[in-house]
Amino acid sequence: MAGVCGKPHMSPGSLPGKRRLEPDQELQIQEPPLLSDPDSSLSDSEESVFSGLEDSGSDTSEEDSEGAGCEEDNRRAEDTSEEQTQAALPCPRTADTGAPSRDEYEEDSSDEEDIRNTVGNVPLAWYDDFPHVGYDLDGKRIYKPLRTRDELDQFLDKMDDPDFWRTVQDKMTGRDLRLTDEQVALVHRLQRGQFGDSDFNPYEPSVDFFSGDIMIHPVTNRPADKRSFIPSLVEKEKVSRMVHAIKMGWIKPRRPQDSTPSFYDLWAQEDPNAVLGRHKMHVPAPKLALPGHAESYNPPPEYLPTEEERLAWMQQEPVERKLNFLPQKFPSLRTVPAYGRFIQERFERCLDLYLCPRQRKMRVNVDPEDLIPKLPRPRDLQPFPVCQALVYRGHSDLVRCLSVSPGGQWLASGSDDGTLRLWEVSTARCMKTVRVGGVVRSIAWNPNPAVCLVAAAVDDAVLLLNPALGDRLLVGSTDQLLEAFTPPEEPSLQPAQWLEVSEEERRRGMRLRICHSKPVTQVTWHGRGDYLAVVLSSQGHTQVLIHQLSRRRSQSPFRRSHGQVQCVSFHPTRPFLLVASQRSVRIYHLLRQELTKKLMPNCKWVSSMAVHPAGDNIICGSYDSKLVWFDLDLSTKPYKVLRHHKKALRAVAFHPRYPLFASGSDDGSVIVCHGMVYNDLLQNPLLVPVKVLKGHTLTRDLGVLDVAFHPTQPWIFSSGADGTIRLFS
């Protein structure tokens, strides 16, 4: 079957809007069947119809090759074999070549539509999910035109093509059509609600069919019908049926409505049959209080106000007066004048009734016990400290800090009386008192069990002391470790200065002194015992310093400040440094030297911080009596906020072995909580307060200043402003 380029050939006269073709033109149109396949037995009209379908595209190889020949001819290809194929195919251009030279579009009509898609009047939505749009007369598929342009190509066309706004897609042919100026003007007129034809005048003067002149003869002289003056039998039957239905009661006639209005008492007692019975939630208005003795025209003498009470009543605000009038005494009822505020009080009463809505609120019958979360019983969470066991007395001023040795046998405490005391835990006996000559603000025992060393923050220095308690070999190895240091030939510039102590201080147990430019507020050790971090009460990036004991080297890890630092802590397992400022907690990676995470406690002022032994949870205490629990694997916002204390929190601590954490506050109490952290990441930590420990007395509005757990036993130590240290077991 021969494919034809251009519009489909049809028989003369098949299109209503075209002239009849000349004989020579008929011969040219009827030639393609002669050049087609000799086996084809189709007629001329059928071949012309099929040629139009083949041009829209089919899935046979023969049609594809022949259609490609026409397309290459239109593109003026240079391939010789295809030129021979094109010569054999009867395209309109080759057919017109032998004819006399004339315009090939002379017989074309501008109203003729490009009807290459001949699937018929079938909704194209049926073929949305198929690659074709219908079938031709041979039952072969008519494929959709390939449109490989994506949104980016459309956007580029929109930017480059100035006529993109007037380009639309023809759903029948799949081509992009450019609207002419007349078509764009037609669309604009239709959008504005105007007529499509611009020459149409909707306001032309109307022509009356009937003139206004009175005529003698009527328009029609047709006589009236007989049915116009004879009663209708059909209507008579309908009326009889309606009368019968009314008699039987099937149809009830409308009753006349009563136009008289109905009045009722708005505040009357409601009953189920009353008008207001449907308002089940209505609450009747409260009644006025009955008059008492003060309203009497002859009240008793005790109800009459004195001159001072009268002046005080006059100076009070109207809403603060107990009575809105002053009691008066009259000799008889006839002498009582009219009440001056009668109209005003009646008006206020009406306003109360009108503007104050009253509705009965249905209470939810919920057992208060059901609202309390189901928590395990405290006795099922033992062991934890429950009572006071020992009291360590000896300091003459408030005890600011304390620390327990790694073995749990010794306890170190620092006080405002300028002394550092070492205690034996089991007997509460003071083993040694070291006078440091200043307020001890922080103290920390080295966590390395192979080193017997205590760091204390005194004024602007950090003192390293050898308590000389316990094993003598351990004490001697500690001194040898400190003495084995050889200073470098060229000392480097450091933010702190390492100094040797004098002989007198050495006899008291001091070994090294690290001097700073500002007072030291906190000192804490790394888990391995070689590094310690200090916090200075200064502004700028030198608030936090890290000292290395083995090399006696100091460094400032930060180049800029993010607020006033309150406390710092080393991560127990990872190379992280946690820095708590007033409003946030920042976690820094020491090896990468970058900020890893920023926690937002939502507190006004963070006072203390502690890290869980596993390292995935952190608790922070604040001066606005909040304890905040952070789950580092969950979020940067608090997992739980506990408000058990009534005053500011001074210290928080985790137990190294047991699932316990505690907090000390200025209200003089220590609250011990059970904090179980599960290995399953899908299970949240279990936080249960188990015990409130009291024993410290408030001194200068200060209570518990520091808390610390025993490393091996479920015991807790607390130091208070009353100058005592208490052990709860």
Side-chain angles (χ1 to χ4, degrees), residues 551-619:
R551 297 184 180 181
R552 297 189 184 181
R553 188 174 58 180
S554 303
Q555 58 180 341
S556 176
F558 305 113
R559 284 181 288 184
R560 61 177 181 175
S561 174
H562 293 281
Q564 184 68 30
V565 178
Q566 302 299 313
C567 56
V568 297
S569 178
F570 286 101
H571 196 276
T573 58
R574 299 179 183 178
F576 291 163
L577 179 65
L578 292 86
V579 180
S581 59
Q582 293 182 2
R583 295 295 184 90
S584 63
V585 177
R586 298 173 182 267
I587 303 177
Y588 295 93
H589 198 290
L590 295 176
L591 298 181
R592 300 177 184 174
Q593 299 181 3
E594 63 181 9
L595 176 65
T596 302
K597 194 172 294 185
K598 180 181 178 181
L599 309 179
M600 303 303 296
N602 296 332
C603 300
K604 293 182 179 179
W605 197 308
V606 177
S607 62
S608 54
M609 175 180 59
V611 187
H612 193 269
D616 293 335
N617 296 271
I618 297 174
I619 57 175

Side-chain angles (χ1 to χ4, degrees), residues 644-645 661-664 667 669-673 689-693 716:
H644 299 147
H645 289 282
F661 67 96
S663 59
D667 56 5
S669 64
V670 177
I671 296 181
V672 180
C673 300
V690 292
K691 190 64 178 178
V692 179
L693 304 174
I716 187 172

Side-chain angles (χ1 to χ4, degrees), residues 204-261:
E204 291 182 355
S206 61
V207 179
D208 294 337
F209 180 76
F210 298 96
S211 63
D213 302 335
I214 299 177
M215 308 283 296
I216 299 176
H217 301 284
V219 178
T220 61
N221 199 13
R222 181 173 175 269
D225 295 334
K226 183 178 180 180
R227 63 175 178 267
S228 63
F229 52 86
I230 295 179
S232 175
L233 297 179
V234 177
E235 293 180 357
K236 180 180 179 181
E237 185 178 358
K238 289 183 179 180
V239 171
S240 62
R241 290 179 180 176
M242 294 176 65
V243 171
H244 179 67
I246 293 175
K247 289 181 180 180
M248 297 299 294
W250 300 336
I251 299 178
K252 295 183 179 180
R254 297 178 182 177
R255 296 180 180 179
Q257 297 182 356
D258 188 6
S259 60
T260 58

